[in-house]
Amino acid sequence: MATTLPALEDALWFDLSADQKAILGPLKDFLRSEVAPGARERDETGVFPMALVKQLGELGVMGMQVPEAYGGAELDTATMALIIEEIAAVDGSLCLTVASHNSLCTGHIVLAGNEAQKRAYLPALATAEKLGAWGLTEPGSGSDAAGMRTRAEDRGDHFVISGSKIFITQGTVGGTYVILARTDDPRPGKSAADGISAFVVPGDAPGLVRGKPEEKLGLHASDTTPLTFEDLVVPAENLLGVRGEAFRDVMAVLDGGRIGIGAMGIGLGRAALEIAAKYALEREQFGRPIAHNQGVSFKIAEMATELEAARLLVLKAAALKDAGRPFTMAAAQAKLKGSVAGVRACDHAIQILGGYGYIREYEVERLWRDARLTRIGEGTDEIQHLIIAREYLRRFR
Ligand SMILES: Cc1cc2nc3c(=O)[nH]c(=O)nc-3n(C[C@H](O)[C@H](O)[C@H](O)COP(=O)(O)OP(=O)(O)OC[C@H]3O[C@@H](n4cnc5c(N)ncnc54)[C@H](O)[C@@H]3O)c2cc1C
């Protein structure tokens, strides 16, 4: 079965604007002609598609929310979410590369960088001349990210970073890294998040040691690598944001990133839905298409409805972010719904395809494997529940 490219417009209830068409049109052509044909092979080889990523830079997709003054496309968040959904529907690995590069490393510099840092790092990130990696998670601290042990010691005109990070997307192929490290102990009365700082680290900095890329369940052509910092020297001017207060920026970066991960789940689920729908109409058992059985068609109904509901949440969170209004809860809801609906759609698709669903050629197993990450990365389902409950209950306190 050939890789499908479901139409985004079919899934939307509004017409794309002229600006959205201007970026999505060439992107879709590129996805159809250059990305789709090799997606399965890349899943098998795990080779990072550097040439494709560079071409995405030319299409304006690697600096989606970078201001035009620094060479970016300065897109609104809804357009970014639609682009991420579209890429996910074709190649989950490439989608994670794009989503993480834009939202995490690049997004952090856009959010917290000073003028000199923005001029120094954003143009190369926006064109994909350099890929961005963002190091928060450590072997001993994931959901409880403030429990990090990596330290940056102040030596006057520079800091010396020692410690390690794990599961870093673009960890091997990155050219610019944003690394979180503790510079100070928490001040009395403050939470464990106090005292954490962010640094921009060039990929060729001595002491930045890349480990062996991880072997993963899915997203094989996305690079996930542990990092070790062996007395990594970083000039003081590379401190990103306010010393000791980076965790607030981390939370804001993750809020934005979660909109993208929700969109990624929807894109993967949408591809699975389309494959399952076509299959259910073609496959005959007991003398009629299997789609004629409610046990099958109701799954299609559920997939279509849940994905649609998730897209509404993604676009709501995007609208709130662009309006400058609080969007933490909406982003957590969008991420939770998008990822759960995406994984469930992929699982239903495997079921609808029966034995064929379990066979690589039919693609839905790859979609499921790729989608599964969306329930873990940038905060697990459980952490999204914690955030949603905290934000909701806040109204009554
Ligand atoms: C492919 C991939 C790419 C990634 N890319 C990056 C990256 O680029 N940069 C980066 O910094 N990190 C990255 N991560 C890390 C990712 O964000 C973490 O794996 C994730 O936040 C979960 O942390 P953990 O793996 O340590 O799990 P843990 O925090 O140990 O959680 C284990 C389980 O316990 C649950 N749990 C933990 N605390 C609670 C609680 N209070 N209440 C209820 N349940 C709880 C979790 O939900 C989970 O089910 C990546 C991970 C993967 C797999």
Side-chain angles (χ1 to χ4, degrees), residues 290-317:
I290 58 169
H292 291 194
N293 302 294
Q294 286 186 347
V296 173
S297 66
F298 280 19
K299 285 190 181 64
I300 303 261
E302 184 200 309
M303 293 154 86
T305 306
E306 291 297 303
L307 291 170
E308 188 83 24
R311 189 178 296 104
L312 286 164
L313 287 174
V314 162
L315 294 178
K316 176 187 172 185

mmCIF file of all heavy atoms in Angstrom, residues 290-317:
data_model
loop_
_atom_site.group_PDB
_atom_site.id
_atom_site.type_symbol
_atom_site.label_atom_id
_atom_site.label_comp_id
_atom_site.label_asym_id
_atom_site.label_seq_id
_atom_site.Cartn_x
_atom_site.Cartn_y
_atom_site.Cartn_z
ATOM 1 N N ILE A 290 -16.281 -4.822 4.774
ATOM 2 C CA ILE A 290 -16.302 -4.848 6.242
ATOM 3 C C ILE A 290 -16.843 -3.543 6.826
ATOM 4 O O ILE A 290 -17.332 -3.512 7.953
ATOM 5 C CB ILE A 290 -14.914 -5.180 6.847
ATOM 6 C CG1 ILE A 290 -13.854 -4.161 6.395
ATOM 7 C CG2 ILE A 290 -14.498 -6.611 6.517
ATOM 8 C CD1 ILE A 290 -12.535 -4.266 7.160
ATOM 9 N N ALA A 291 -16.787 -2.445 6.050
ATOM 10 C CA ALA A 291 -17.313 -1.153 6.528
ATOM 11 C C ALA A 291 -18.811 -1.237 6.799
ATOM 12 O O ALA A 291 -19.367 -0.387 7.503
ATOM 13 C CB ALA A 291 -17.035 -0.047 5.516
ATOM 14 N N HIS A 292 -19.489 -2.240 6.223
ATOM 15 C CA HIS A 292 -20.937 -2.365 6.423
ATOM 16 C C HIS A 292 -21.284 -2.928 7.806
ATOM 17 O O HIS A 292 -22.454 -3.002 8.165
ATOM 18 C CB HIS A 292 -21.560 -3.232 5.319
ATOM 19 C CG HIS A 292 -21.526 -2.546 3.987
ATOM 20 N ND1 HIS A 292 -22.249 -2.973 2.895
ATOM 21 C CD2 HIS A 292 -20.849 -1.460 3.552
ATOM 22 C CE1 HIS A 292 -22.003 -2.180 1.863
ATOM 23 N NE2 HIS A 292 -21.157 -1.260 2.239
ATOM 24 N N ASN A 293 -20.271 -3.343 8.534
ATOM 25 C CA ASN A 293 -20.510 -3.818 9.906
ATOM 26 C C ASN A 293 -20.320 -2.660 10.879
ATOM 27 O O ASN A 293 -19.312 -1.946 10.825
ATOM 28 C CB ASN A 293 -19.502 -4.922 10.264
ATOM 29 C CG ASN A 293 -19.584 -6.092 9.304
ATOM 30 O OD1 ASN A 293 -20.590 -6.798 9.247
ATOM 31 N ND2 ASN A 293 -18.528 -6.279 8.530
ATOM 32 N N GLN A 294 -21.275 -2.510 11.786
ATOM 33 C CA GLN A 294 -21.144 -1.407 12.737
ATOM 34 C C GLN A 294 -19.898 -1.538 13.605
ATOM 35 O O GLN A 294 -19.315 -0.532 14.024
ATOM 36 C CB GLN A 294 -22.381 -1.320 13.631
ATOM 37 C CG GLN A 294 -23.588 -0.769 12.903
ATOM 38 C CD GLN A 294 -24.770 -0.540 13.828
ATOM 39 O OE1 GLN A 294 -24.777 -1.015 14.965
ATOM 40 N NE2 GLN A 294 -25.768 0.154 13.334
ATOM 41 N N GLY A 295 -19.501 -2.775 13.856
ATOM 42 C CA GLY A 295 -18.291 -2.980 14.656
ATOM 43 C C GLY A 295 -17.078 -2.320 14.019
ATOM 44 O O GLY A 295 -16.118 -1.971 14.705
ATOM 45 N N VAL A 296 -17.122 -2.171 12.693
ATOM 46 C CA VAL A 296 -16.027 -1.492 11.979
ATOM 47 C C VAL A 296 -16.357 -0.005 11.787
ATOM 48 O O VAL A 296 -15.561 0.877 12.107
ATOM 49 C CB VAL A 296 -15.772 -2.177 10.619
ATOM 50 C CG1 VAL A 296 -14.768 -1.386 9.789
ATOM 51 C CG2 VAL A 296 -15.279 -3.614 10.846
ATOM 52 N N SER A 297 -17.550 0.263 11.282
ATOM 53 C CA SER A 297 -17.856 1.663 10.928
ATOM 54 C C SER A 297 -17.919 2.564 12.172
ATOM 55 O O SER A 297 -17.596 3.752 12.095
ATOM 56 C CB SER A 297 -19.164 1.753 10.139
ATOM 57 O OG SER A 297 -20.255 1.362 10.955
ATOM 58 N N PHE A 298 -18.324 2.008 13.287
ATOM 59 C CA PHE A 298 -18.365 2.846 14.500
ATOM 60 C C PHE A 298 -16.950 3.242 14.942
ATOM 61 O O PHE A 298 -16.753 4.295 15.553
ATOM 62 C CB PHE A 298 -19.101 2.129 15.648
ATOM 63 C CG PHE A 298 -20.609 2.203 15.533
ATOM 64 C CD1 PHE A 298 -21.230 2.502 14.322
ATOM 65 C CD2 PHE A 298 -21.418 1.969 16.636
ATOM 66 C CE1 PHE A 298 -22.625 2.576 14.215
ATOM 67 C CE2 PHE A 298 -22.810 2.045 16.556
ATOM 68 C CZ PHE A 298 -23.416 2.340 15.339
ATOM 69 N N LYS A 299 -15.995 2.375 14.645
ATOM 70 C CA LYS A 299 -14.604 2.762 14.946
ATOM 71 C C LYS A 299 -14.208 3.955 14.076
ATOM 72 O O LYS A 299 -13.547 4.895 14.532
ATOM 73 C CB LYS A 299 -13.644 1.600 14.679
ATOM 74 C CG LYS A 299 -13.674 0.486 15.714
ATOM 75 C CD LYS A 299 -12.526 -0.486 15.476
ATOM 76 C CE LYS A 299 -12.552 -1.629 16.477
ATOM 77 N NZ LYS A 299 -13.743 -2.495 16.386
ATOM 78 N N ILE A 300 -14.612 3.905 12.805
ATOM 79 C CA ILE A 300 -14.303 5.022 11.892
ATOM 80 C C ILE A 300 -14.952 6.296 12.437
ATOM 81 O O ILE A 300 -14.333 7.379 12.445
ATOM 82 C CB ILE A 300 -14.844 4.713 10.478
ATOM 83 C CG1 ILE A 300 -14.264 3.390 9.970
ATOM 84 C CG2 ILE A 300 -14.625 5.898 9.527
ATOM 85 C CD1 ILE A 300 -13.116 3.442 9.036
ATOM 86 N N ALA A 301 -16.206 6.166 12.885
ATOM 87 C CA ALA A 301 -16.918 7.333 13.424
ATOM 88 C C ALA A 301 -16.191 7.895 14.634
ATOM 89 O O ALA A 301 -16.019 9.112 14.773
ATOM 90 C CB ALA A 301 -18.344 6.937 13.810
ATOM 91 N N GLU A 302 -15.731 6.998 15.490
ATOM 92 C CA GLU A 302 -15.027 7.462 16.698
ATOM 93 C C GLU A 302 -13.713 8.146 16.337
ATOM 94 O O GLU A 302 -13.389 9.220 16.863
ATOM 95 C CB GLU A 302 -14.749 6.276 17.629
ATOM 96 C CG GLU A 302 -14.111 6.715 18.936
ATOM 97 C CD GLU A 302 -13.396 5.591 19.657
ATOM 98 O OE1 GLU A 302 -13.989 4.517 19.862
ATOM 99 O OE2 GLU A 302 -12.214 5.798 20.014
ATOM 100 N N MET A 303 -12.978 7.545 15.414
ATOM 101 C CA MET A 303 -11.692 8.136 15.016
ATOM 102 C C MET A 303 -11.898 9.536 14.447
ATOM 103 O O MET A 303 -11.221 10.495 14.832
ATOM 104 C CB MET A 303 -11.019 7.248 13.941
ATOM 105 C CG MET A 303 -10.586 5.883 14.439
ATOM 106 S SD MET A 303 -10.514 4.664 13.095
ATOM 107 C CE MET A 303 -8.896 4.914 12.438
ATOM 108 N N ALA A 304 -12.873 9.654 13.530
ATOM 109 C CA ALA A 304 -13.112 10.948 12.874
ATOM 110 C C ALA A 304 -13.529 11.998 13.903
ATOM 111 O O ALA A 304 -13.076 13.152 13.856
ATOM 112 C CB ALA A 304 -14.187 10.790 11.794
ATOM 113 N N THR A 305 -14.372 11.598 14.839
ATOM 114 C CA THR A 305 -14.894 12.562 15.825
ATOM 115 C C THR A 305 -13.823 12.975 16.831
ATOM 116 O O THR A 305 -13.667 14.161 17.152
ATOM 117 C CB THR A 305 -16.098 11.943 16.561
ATOM 118 O OG1 THR A 305 -17.039 11.510 15.579
ATOM 119 C CG2 THR A 305 -16.761 12.950 17.480
ATOM 120 N N GLU A 306 -13.073 12.006 17.324
ATOM 121 C CA GLU A 306 -12.047 12.318 18.319
ATOM 122 C C GLU A 306 -10.925 13.182 17.715
ATOM 123 O O GLU A 306 -10.423 14.097 18.365
ATOM 124 C CB GLU A 306 -11.461 11.022 18.899
ATOM 125 C CG GLU A 306 -12.446 10.250 19.760
ATOM 126 C CD GLU A 306 -12.864 11.030 20.994
ATOM 127 O OE1 GLU A 306 -11.999 11.428 21.780
ATOM 128 O OE2 GLU A 306 -14.080 11.264 21.161
ATOM 129 N N LEU A 307 -10.557 12.873 16.485
ATOM 130 C CA LEU A 307 -9.506 13.675 15.847
ATOM 131 C C LEU A 307 -9.989 15.104 15.598
ATOM 132 O O LEU A 307 -9.253 16.075 15.772
ATOM 133 C CB LEU A 307 -9.048 13.016 14.532
ATOM 134 C CG LEU A 307 -8.283 11.697 14.713
ATOM 135 C CD1 LEU A 307 -8.090 11.000 13.369
ATOM 136 C CD2 LEU A 307 -6.914 11.934 15.374
ATOM 137 N N GLU A 308 -11.245 15.207 15.194
ATOM 138 C CA GLU A 308 -11.830 16.533 14.955
ATOM 139 C C GLU A 308 -11.870 17.336 16.270
ATOM 140 O O GLU A 308 -11.533 18.522 16.298
ATOM 141 C CB GLU A 308 -13.247 16.354 14.409
ATOM 142 C CG GLU A 308 -13.909 17.617 13.927
ATOM 143 C CD GLU A 308 -13.514 17.981 12.504
ATOM 144 O OE1 GLU A 308 -13.111 17.074 11.749
ATOM 145 O OE2 GLU A 308 -13.601 19.158 12.176
ATOM 146 N N ALA A 309 -12.307 16.671 17.333
ATOM 147 C CA ALA A 309 -12.361 17.346 18.641
ATOM 148 C C ALA A 309 -10.964 17.785 19.075
ATOM 149 O O ALA A 309 -10.777 18.889 19.596
ATOM 150 C CB ALA A 309 -12.967 16.402 19.689
ATOM 151 N N ALA A 310 -10.001 16.925 18.830
ATOM 152 C CA ALA A 310 -8.624 17.260 19.206
ATOM 153 C C ALA A 310 -8.131 18.461 18.403
ATOM 154 O O ALA A 310 -7.455 19.350 18.943
ATOM 155 C CB ALA A 310 -7.713 16.051 18.960
ATOM 156 N N ARG A 311 -8.453 18.501 17.110
ATOM 157 C CA ARG A 311 -8.010 19.628 16.280
ATOM 158 C C ARG A 311 -8.608 20.937 16.792
ATOM 159 O O ARG A 311 -7.961 21.990 16.790
ATOM 160 C CB ARG A 311 -8.375 19.378 14.815
ATOM 161 C CG ARG A 311 -7.749 20.400 13.876
ATOM 162 C CD ARG A 311 -8.078 20.133 12.420
ATOM 163 N NE ARG A 311 -7.529 18.886 11.934
ATOM 164 C CZ ARG A 311 -8.234 17.772 11.726
ATOM 165 N NH1 ARG A 311 -9.531 17.749 11.977
ATOM 166 N NH2 ARG A 311 -7.660 16.691 11.269
ATOM 167 N N LEU A 312 -9.869 20.873 17.213
ATOM 168 C CA LEU A 312 -10.498 22.079 17.776
ATOM 169 C C LEU A 312 -9.728 22.565 19.001
ATOM 170 O O LEU A 312 -9.523 23.764 19.183
ATOM 171 C CB LEU A 312 -11.955 21.796 18.140
ATOM 172 C CG LEU A 312 -12.905 21.690 16.939
ATOM 173 C CD1 LEU A 312 -14.203 21.025 17.351
ATOM 174 C CD2 LEU A 312 -13.184 23.065 16.365
ATOM 175 N N LEU A 313 -9.323 21.633 19.847
ATOM 176 C CA LEU A 313 -8.557 22.021 21.037
ATOM 177 C C LEU A 313 -7.192 22.592 20.655
ATOM 178 O O LEU A 313 -6.720 23.559 21.267
ATOM 179 C CB LEU A 313 -8.385 20.819 21.975
ATOM 180 C CG LEU A 313 -9.633 20.395 22.749
ATOM 181 C CD1 LEU A 313 -9.364 19.106 23.518
ATOM 182 C CD2 LEU A 313 -10.062 21.488 23.721
ATOM 183 N N VAL A 314 -6.560 21.990 19.664
ATOM 184 C CA VAL A 314 -5.258 22.502 19.208
ATOM 185 C C VAL A 314 -5.421 23.933 18.686
ATOM 186 O O VAL A 314 -4.645 24.835 19.027
ATOM 187 C CB VAL A 314 -4.664 21.574 18.113
ATOM 188 C CG1 VAL A 314 -3.577 22.282 17.313
ATOM 189 C CG2 VAL A 314 -4.101 20.305 18.751
ATOM 190 N N LEU A 315 -6.435 24.141 17.872
ATOM 191 C CA LEU A 315 -6.605 25.473 17.284
ATOM 192 C C LEU A 315 -7.055 26.492 18.333
ATOM 193 O O LEU A 315 -6.735 27.674 18.246
ATOM 194 C CB LEU A 315 -7.571 25.406 16.092
ATOM 195 C CG LEU A 315 -7.011 24.592 14.909
ATOM 196 C CD1 LEU A 315 -8.029 24.508 13.779
ATOM 197 C CD2 LEU A 315 -5.702 25.181 14.378
ATOM 198 N N LYS A 316 -7.778 26.030 19.339
ATOM 199 C CA LYS A 316 -8.153 26.941 20.436
ATOM 200 C C LYS A 316 -6.899 27.367 21.207
ATOM 201 O O LYS A 316 -6.701 28.560 21.484
ATOM 202 C CB LYS A 316 -9.141 26.268 21.394
ATOM 203 C CG LYS A 316 -9.479 27.152 22.596
ATOM 204 C CD LYS A 316 -10.328 26.459 23.642
ATOM 205 C CE LYS A 316 -10.435 27.351 24.886
ATOM 206 N NZ LYS A 316 -11.143 26.703 25.977
ATOM 207 N N ALA A 317 -6.074 26.389 21.550
ATOM 208 C CA ALA A 317 -4.843 26.725 22.289
ATOM 209 C C ALA A 317 -3.976 27.659 21.458
ATOM 210 O O ALA A 317 -3.384 28.613 21.982
ATOM 211 C CB ALA A 317 -4.079 25.440 22.637
#
